[in-house]
Amino acid sequence: MSPAGRHGLAALRIERQLQPQLPDGIVATTSGDIEEAGLGQLRRPDVIVLPEAAMDTDSAISPRALLAAVEIVSPSNPENDYESKLHHYPRLGIPHYLIVDPRDGTCVHHWAIGSREGIPVYEARVPYVFGDKIPIGEWGIDTGELPRYSQDAR
């Protein structure tokens, strides 16, 4: 099932916040599949930050082009963002991964790709709550503007 309502609203607000902070040629967008054939993973992050030129393709975008990926946790499948994508994104070379969870109003920023037993992993992690301002690289996100899911959706 496709994400709805507040999920999309959170992604839109993050995209709108990021765009004016980014230098020429770098964009924040809520559209674009990313794929690394060698890992057999096709993903569609909720918000991506990347050079606009990387979108000039008829195929999926290379995840190696991304500067950041933001995922808005879905009420029905939170383990996808907290486990599966946390496992795959450092292997895809995505330097910043932000998990935004409207279920409980929290966020977690992962960055600094290192290696454990030869496997790429994020070595840095900082938790936040809605209302915090999150620095990501040279830009930031004000989580006070993000919606929470209703009790029924949690």
Side-chain angles (χ1 to χ4, degrees):
M1 188 165 104
S2 296
R6 290 186 179 110
H7 183 281
L9 180 59
L12 177 67
R13 287 182 178 171
I14 290 169
E15 176 189 31
R16 284 184 179 164
Q17 283 186 37
L18 289 173
Q19 195 57 55
Q21 300 175 57
L22 300 173
D24 288 343
I26 304 296
V27 297
T29 182
T30 56
S31 62
D33 291 333
I34 61 170
E35 182 175 30
E36 175 110 4
L39 292 176
Q41 285 294 315
L42 177 69
R43 297 285 190 182
R44 186 176 186 88
D46 294 310
V47 181
I48 56 176
V49 178
L50 73 166
E52 183 176 348
M55 297 177 72
D56 190 10
T57 178
D58 292 326
S59 303
I61 297 165
S62 169
R64 307 271 173 205
L66 271 62
L67 303 173
V70 179
E71 294 289 359
I72 314 299
V73 175
S74 298
S76 61
N77 192 14
E79 60 279 351
N80 192 35
D81 298 313
Y82 283 107
E83 295 171 20
S84 180
K85 292 174 185 175
L86 184 57
H87 174 80
H88 286 117
Y89 284 3
R91 288 164 179 77
L92 295 173
I94 300 171
H96 292 274
Y97 175 35
L98 178 64
I99 301 171
V100 175
D101 196 337
R103 296 173 311 151
D104 61 4
T106 61
C107 302
V108 183
H109 177 204
H110 298 271
W111 77 100
I113 298 173
S115 179
R116 285 197 196 119
E117 299 178 14
I119 298 171
V121 296
Y122 291 114
E123 293 186 332
R125 173 189 184 281
V126 175
Y128 295 92
V129 296
F130 279 25
D132 290 341
K133 292 184 180 167
I134 301 173
I136 300 176
E138 297 178 7
W139 55 87
I141 295 170
D142 181 353
T143 61
E145 295 183 10
L146 302 180
R148 297 269 314 265
Y149 294 145
S150 69
Q151 286 292 97
D152 296 339
R154 295 181 209 170

